[in-house]
Amino acid sequence: MRITALAGGVGGARFVRGLLHELREVRGDTDSEVVVIGNTGDDITLFGLRICPDLDTILYTLGGVVDEGQGWGRVGDSHTVQQELADLGALPQWFGLGDRDFATHIARSQWLGQGQSLSEVTTRLAQRWRLPEQGVRLLPATDTPIETHVVLDDGDQGERAVHFQQWWVQMQAAVPARRFTVAGLAQAPPAPGVLDALRTADVILLPPSNPVVSIGIILGIPGLRDALRGSRAPVVGVSPIIGGAPVRGHADACLATLDVEVSAAGVAGLYADFLDGWLVDDADAGSMSGTRPTVRSLDLRMRDVAGAARIAGAALDLSADLS
Ligand code: GDP
Ligand code: FO1
Ligand code: CA
């Protein structure tokens, strides 16, 4: 079976790790291939280094080296470089970067600087974390640099835009966003293999990733949304919203900016033109109306790998029923 998933950072990574556990350990399926199309809108250049938080979160999670507590970065990392940068007065300091994580950004920046594409660089990093051995290909949604910016109300000054990471990490998304704009998006073709992975998939999965700044950005890549609409495979998603609130992060602030209700139904509405199946939490059972998508409810909290595997299994079961 060919499985293609669109993914942001922590929610996407934990879901894909569960999916692999479900396939390989629970079902004994060693053949199925998983292609993950990762969000690059969060990417940022700091200290001259290109940082791809969502791709790295997937790499570290599948590599078994992620800091589980925070969900991103390397477990047990030290912060010598960051401290030295602080002592130098080099800014910004609001983005926490560990030493081992720094090495990833240095290698990526070096390889990009030598003319390799982000896809090629990501493949090299994926080899380091043994993704091919797990039957996973991680593709950036696009090789063209894109960056999500957040437009804020600036009082008498009108409005100003900040990088998504500044809004999310430094401002904790507490400042209302007027809108999101993605620099470079209209001229960012899908990376090699992305449209193919959607066209040839037997199943397309939407993990419980942020519907606006993770999945929403990927869907904005020219041709992506049409590929989902036209796909022969069932598209099955998992709600990142449980009982009217995100499980973690600030998806509620993102949805508010789009005037979309913070609910499983609100998120499904954003995918209405291509979504065939939708998994909601038991708390939200009965909250969806209409005949499409087909809805099933279960405990959607990914407390551990086995829990995420159970959810991924339910998504596969639903897609099989829809095929
Ligand atoms: P980010 O890039 O690190 O923000 O990660 P993603 O975009 O992949 O996912 C973020 C979303 O995952 C948030 O909106 C959370 O509500 C959702 N999420 C995180 N953990 C869980 C979980 O255990 N269950 C469900 N259903 N959603 C989750
Ligand atoms: N998230 C934070 O909330 N604070 C940080 O200091 C931070 C640093 C960081 C460094 C590398 C990396 O790959 C991710 C990092 N994240 C951090 C997570 C991440 O940038 C955001 O949570 C997501 O991109 C939001 O979707
Ligand atoms: Ca992210």
Side-chain angles (χ1 to χ4, degrees):
M1 189 166 44
R2 290 165 186 263
I3 304 170
T4 299
L6 312 188
V10 181
R14 289 183 176 167
F15 177 83
V16 171
R17 181 172 60 181
L19 172 65
L20 292 169
H21 185 84
E22 174 71 16
L23 288 171
R24 312 306 186 215
E25 311 301 326
V26 179
R27 301 190 177 194
D29 172 346
T30 50
D31 295 333
S32 288
E33 294 167 11
V34 178
V35 178
V36 179
I37 299 172
N39 173 42
T40 55
D42 288 15
D43 296 6
I44 187 166
T45 301
L46 295 175
F47 311 111
L49 302 174
R50 192 65 178 161
I51 302 170
C52 302
D54 285 356
L55 297 180
D56 288 345
T57 297
I58 294 168
L59 291 167
Y60 295 159
T61 301
L62 299 188
V65 295
V66 76
D67 181 320
E68 292 288 347
Q70 56 190 19
W72 43 268
R74 296 282 299 274
V75 63
D77 215 347
S78 49
H79 289 81
T80 307
V81 174
Q82 178 119 35
Q83 185 54 55
E84 199 63 26
L85 287 166
D87 294 345
L88 285 166
L91 296 174
Q93 283 296 323
W94 48 260
F95 202 65
L97 291 165
D99 295 328
R100 289 173 187 276
D101 194 26
F102 256 118
T104 300
H105 314 316
I106 292 168
R108 173 187 292 120
S109 304
Q110 158 103 333
W111 294 334
L112 289 171
Q114 290 168 346
Q116 295 178 40
S117 67
L118 183 60
S119 295
E120 291 167 332
V121 169
T122 304
T123 297
R124 289 180 77 166
L125 294 171
Q127 281 160 357
R128 163 75 173 101
W129 298 116
R130 296 179 303 279
L131 270 64
E133 283 157 62
Q134 300 176 55
V136 183
R137 264 194 311 142
L138 174 60
L139 308 178
T142 176
D143 278 342
T144 302
I146 58 170
E147 282 188 3
T148 304
H149 294 172
V150 187
V151 179
L152 308 172
D153 192 339
D154 206 18
D156 296 345
Q157 311 294 316
E159 40 185 43
R160 76 187 164 111
V162 297
H163 191 286
F164 166 72
Q165 294 292 351
Q166 189 176 359
W167 179 70
W168 184 275
V169 173
Q170 190 187 30
M171 302 178 183
Q172 291 287 296
V175 181
R178 276 195 181 175
R179 62 182 183 279
F180 299 98
T181 133
V182 189
L185 189 66
Q187 292 80 36
V194 165
L195 292 183
D196 243 23
L198 292 169
R199 283 198 202 104
T200 61
D202 298 306
V203 188
I204 297 175
L205 298 177
L206 302 188
S209 284
N210 188 308
V212 181
V213 292
S214 293
I215 304 285
I217 304 301
I218 300 174
L219 293 174
I221 304 278
L224 237 297
R225 195 170 192 117
D226 282 342
L228 278 163
R229 283 202 197 111
S231 118
R232 59 181 177 86
V235 183
V236 173
V238 180
S239 175
I241 304 294
I242 297 182
V247 178
R248 52 177 286 151
H250 317 294
D252 44 354
C254 300
L255 289 165
T257 299
L258 267 57
D259 265 330
V260 170
E261 185 184 78
V262 183
S263 67
V267 177
L270 289 172
Y271 307 146
D273 50 326
F274 56 77
L275 192 65
D276 301 305
W278 189 230
L279 297 183
V280 303
D281 191 79
D282 288 325
D284 300 309
S287 69
M288 301 273 304
S289 55
T291 53
R292 242 188 115 250
T294 302
V295 177
R296 281 188 193 157
S297 71
L298 69 162
D299 176 0
L300 279 193
R301 280 180 204 274
M302 301 185 283
R303 291 183 184 82
D304 49 25
V305 177
R310 193 178 35 73
I311 295 165
L316 292 176
D317 288 345
L318 178 51
S319 70
D321 292 347
L322 293 169
S323 296

